Amino acid sequence: MWGSLSEQALTSYRLLEGVTAKKKALLVTGDEIEAAAGPNGEPTYRLTAEGSRAGFVRLEWQTHQYNDRKLHDFLRQWVYHDDIYESARRPFFWALGLLALLLPLAVPKDRWPKFSYEKQWHKLMDFIERRRRAAAQAKAAAPAVKPPVAAPVVRLQSSPNPPPVVAAKPPEARPAAAKKPRPRFE
């Protein structure tokens, strides 16, 4: 909060820094350090071979006043590599896929607490079986009837006066549609 109010805001931070042979303390990043267990099992950190090649001699916890904005910009760049979209894209699509997969299962359970897919499947199969039995009984009970033979089509001459065309009613002559009351949500 304090850093967002002022560009010159300084805050005290305790950071793990690498110390060079010339006693200069620098922030360590990447593979220059690794986590290790101390003698009592507490977590500690130690330099890696890459950290030694970078010129660090030892690690020290140092408390200094840092510019909030600059420190947060540095950490944001180091963690997200200036691309938050790329960092958030994969978890977003996984969450979207999980939602699409689980939502059809959750909605019936929420809307109908006693809803069961198994019971609905049995109801559907019973309905289909009843329809098949009814169709079989109707087919067995119906006498075999030969289809009628189509008679030849005879064309009649059309009359010289075609039937009159009825015009549609104008909008003001039509009955008004009843308006439904809007639901009120309170």
Side-chain angles (χ1 to χ4, degrees):
M1 291 287 291
W2 178 250
S4 63
L5 296 175
S6 169
E7 288 185 27
Q8 304 303 323
L10 297 176
T11 306
S12 178
Y13 289 99
R14 184 172 181 247
L15 300 175
L16 184 62
E17 296 181 344
V19 179
T20 63
K22 294 181 180 181
K23 308 269 191 254
K24 186 172 183 180
L26 301 170
L27 285 174
V28 288
T29 59
D31 297 329
E32 296 170 345
I33 62 170
E34 64 183 358
N40 296 337
E42 73 275 356
T44 60
Y45 298 94
R46 64 178 174 212
L47 282 171
T48 62
E50 189 174 319
S52 297
R53 272 185 257 128
F56 296 117
V57 178
R58 66 181 185 277
L59 296 173
E60 285 184 6
W61 288 99
Q62 302 231 352
T63 304
H64 293 291
Q65 297 285 328
Y66 292 99
N67 184 315
D68 285 326
R69 284 193 183 182
K70 289 180 182 176
L71 182 63
H72 285 260
D73 286 342
F74 170 75
L75 292 174
R76 186 180 315 113
Q77 181 182 6
W78 183 63
V79 172
Y80 297 113
H81 306 288
D82 282 337
D83 197 359
I84 293 176
Y85 172 75
E86 284 297 320
S87 300
R89 183 176 54 154
R90 187 173 178 182
F92 172 75
F93 284 119
W94 273 104
L96 194 62
L98 189 64
L99 176 70
L101 182 71
L102 296 178
L103 191 61
L105 298 174
V107 168
K109 297 289 184 190
D110 186 42
R111 290 184 59 118
W112 309 291
K114 295 181 182 177
F115 182 86
S116 165
Y117 283 108
E118 183 179 357
K119 189 185 288 185
Q120 296 302 318
W121 179 257
H122 288 300
K123 282 182 178 181
L124 178 63
M125 291 296 114
D126 291 342
F127 173 74
I128 292 172
E129 188 60 35
R130 284 194 311 268
R131 292 290 303 257
R132 286 183 182 161
R133 274 191 261 128
Q137 288 175 356
K139 189 175 184 181
V145 178
K146 290 185 179 181
V149 179
V153 175
V154 178
R155 291 190 154 221
L156 300 174
Q157 282 188 346
S158 62
S159 63
N161 298 329
V165 176
V166 179
K169 293 180 182 179
E172 51 279 346
R174 294 182 197 151
K179 291 193 175 191
K180 295 180 184 176
R182 297 182 77 182
R184 296 184 67 194
F185 299 103
E186 296 176 1

